[in-house]
Amino acid sequence: MKAMILGTGRIGRGFVSELLHANQVEITYFDASPVMVDKLNEKKEYTIHVLGAEELNTHMEGVRAHLFYDIDALCSCWKEADFLFTACGGKNMGNVGETLAKAFKRLVEENAVHVSNIVTCENWIDPAKDVKEAIVSNLNEEERKLFEENVGVSESVIMCTGTGAPDPDKVTNEMDTWVQNMRYLPIDRDRIKGEIPQWEYVEFVTDFGDLLKQKIYTNNTSVATVSYLGKLKGLTYVADSANDPEIEPILDQVYEEINYALIHGMGINEESQLKFSKTAKAKYTDRAIVDLVTRIARDPIRKLGPQDRFIGPMRIALSAGIKPKAIALGAAAALYFDNPEDRDALRLKEIREAKGIDYILETISEIDPQGEIAVLIKEAIVELKAKGWIKEGASA
């Protein structure tokens, strides 16, 4: 069996590759960065290191990579590929879809359309919907019919964390990558076309439902909260933040709020949700996973969006009858995320200093600046200032 991985970051080059390699799937890589493509083709091999379990490392050999915008290469590989996995970042699904549409048109022209599946591996709400809409909107009626008949567009839930090297000074191959010891990938079975592969570590789940939202609103909300709060306190690593004696009780309260919201507001199975949050906390407090708070906290404008990891679950919590005060602390800390190396953080700081918190809540989070969610966030800002975590010199 053959697969294409679109995006060669830590999830694509690391976690997804690890599972496919374990199932003897032949992989071809695509990336938008010429530098990354050149490095992969130059090295031709790298190691996927498993944090805390080096005996489980995977050595990748015969590595081949192409530029994602090379339509000839995309089409040529797709002719033989059974699966295409995206690990490009959810906000890029539109561009990914447009490019895949060009390659699919070529498949139609060359009478090479066959049953295949696209699986999104993104921390994003509805990534499969986004990429599919971008593809079909760029096809004509005949092409759309062929696409719908032959190509499944499904999504997965990424439970695993990919990180940088625990000790960068000891790295001998810059293409090496590090992943958490968690070999499990659930994929929405109902959107898959053709025969279901019998892959180890991969579960094709029926009634996939809101599993991706459950993951984002449990894992992403909690790790974002500890990362933004940790950054305010001057901490460097996620595990240090999650284990901090002042932050850990907030993290526990975040899980209580999320659990109640998802169980009572979304109808998520209670046993499943409690297991989800317990697993999430174990992951983020694990000191073997060396992950920077600044990596998790990057792109704060998107993360303060109306359906993302703070505002989304806060809406659900309020509708379920609980006040999400701990999640509000995470949102408040995100509003004051300061990292001079993060372009979006700098932009957010400029907006906050020029126009204030209410403007951000109204235009970025798309909530009433005098409404209940906004009030909770502004009360959280006051609380963080009282703790001395947000310095009094910080604007608004």
Side-chain angles (χ1 to χ4, degrees), residues 148-165:
E148 294 286 359
E149 290 174 350
N150 291 280
V151 183
V153 184
S154 188
E155 62 191 24
S156 68
V157 177
I158 302 298
M159 306 291 193
C160 180
T161 292
T163 75

Side-chain angles (χ1 to χ4, degrees), residues 11-168:
I11 294 302
R13 189 173 86 252
F15 174 63
V16 178
S17 294
E18 176 189 33
L19 300 192
L20 294 180
H21 182 274
N23 288 285
Q24 294 80 52
V25 178
E26 184 180 326
I27 303 169
T28 304
Y29 296 97
F30 287 82
D31 199 273
S33 166
V35 173
M36 180 64 78
V37 169
D38 288 345
K39 286 180 180 178
L40 285 169
N41 287 327
E42 176 190 343
K43 297 289 185 182
K44 292 185 171 56
E45 62 180 346
Y46 66 92
T47 299
I48 302 167
H49 300 263
V50 179
L51 293 161
E54 287 284 317
E55 68 276 9
L56 298 177
N57 290 358
T58 299
H59 189 66
M60 304 294 293
E61 298 178 324
V63 174
R64 296 168 300 165
H66 302 276
L67 276 172
F68 179 57
Y69 301 108
D70 183 343
I71 304 302
D72 289 339
L74 265 181
C75 179
S76 176
C77 290
W78 198 347
K79 285 179 183 179
E80 300 181 358
D82 304 285
F83 279 82
L84 293 77
F85 292 88
T86 79
C88 309
K91 64 183 179 181
N92 298 313
M93 289 297 94
N95 290 333
V96 169
E98 289 177 15
T99 304
L100 288 178
K102 294 175 183 177
F104 188 78
K105 284 175 176 287
R106 189 77 62 83
L107 290 179
V108 174
E109 291 172 2
E110 298 182 15
N111 197 28
V113 175
H114 64 288
V115 173
S116 60
N117 289 281
I118 301 166
V119 178
T120 59
C121 304
E122 314 291 350
N123 280 319
W124 193 258
I125 302 294
D126 295 327
K129 175 175 174 285
D130 289 351
V131 75
K132 184 174 181 179
E133 286 180 351
I135 293 171
V136 297
S137 66
N138 284 280
L139 302 177
N140 63 35
E141 186 175 349
E142 178 188 354
E143 293 162 346
R144 279 197 295 272
K145 185 173 183 294
L146 285 169
F147 184 87
E148 294 286 359
E149 290 174 350
N150 291 280
V151 183
V153 184
S154 188
E155 62 191 24
S156 68
V157 177
I158 302 298
M159 306 291 193
C160 180
T161 292
T163 75
D167 189 348

Side-chain angles (χ1 to χ4, degrees), residues 154-314:
S154 188
E155 62 191 24
S156 68
V157 177
I158 302 298
M159 306 291 193
C160 180
T161 292
T163 75
D167 189 348
D169 292 335
K170 294 182 180 179
V171 174
T172 57
N173 182 344
E174 60 185 323
M175 290 295 96
D176 282 8
T177 191
W178 280 256
V179 297
Q180 178 190 9
N181 186 9
M182 182 178 283
R183 291 181 172 177
Y184 175 60
L185 181 69
I187 296 175
D188 187 348
R189 180 190 181 113
D190 297 335
R191 292 192 246 186
I192 295 292
K193 299 278 189 186
E195 186 176 348
I196 303 295
Q198 299 302 307
W199 285 341
E200 191 177 7
Y201 311 120
V202 178
E203 181 182 5
F204 289 88
V205 180
T206 55
D207 299 321
F208 191 82
D210 290 316
L211 186 59
L212 185 54
K213 284 185 180 178
Q214 184 183 10
K215 185 266 178 181
I216 288 176
Y217 289 162
T218 304
N219 292 47
N220 294 24
T221 299
S222 58
V223 73
T225 297
V226 298
S227 296
Y228 286 120
L229 290 173
K231 182 65 170 64
L232 286 179
K233 291 195 69 180
L235 300 172
T236 301
Y237 297 106
V238 171
D240 289 342
S241 298
N243 286 290
D244 181 86
E246 291 183 293
I247 295 177
E248 187 178 11
I250 297 172
L251 176 61
D252 289 335
Q253 189 181 344
V254 166
Y255 286 127
E256 289 178 12
E257 293 171 1
I258 290 170
N259 290 345
Y260 192 94
L262 299 192
I263 292 166
H264 298 283
M266 288 182 63
I268 299 294
N269 175 270
E270 182 174 358
E271 182 181 357
S272 166
Q273 178 55 31
L274 294 177
K275 181 180 177 182
F276 235 85
S277 58
K278 183 179 180 180
T279 302
K281 184 179 179 183
K283 173 180 178 178
Y284 301 127
T285 54
D286 185 352
R287 294 188 187 277
I289 301 175
V290 181
D291 210 358
L292 296 169
V293 297
T294 49
R295 188 187 78 83
I296 298 297
R298 67 189 177 193
D299 203 4
I301 291 176
R302 172 172 66 84
K303 290 169 183 172
L304 286 164
Q307 299 301 326
D308 216 280
R309 62 210 68 200
F310 293 118
I311 306 303
M314 288 184 75

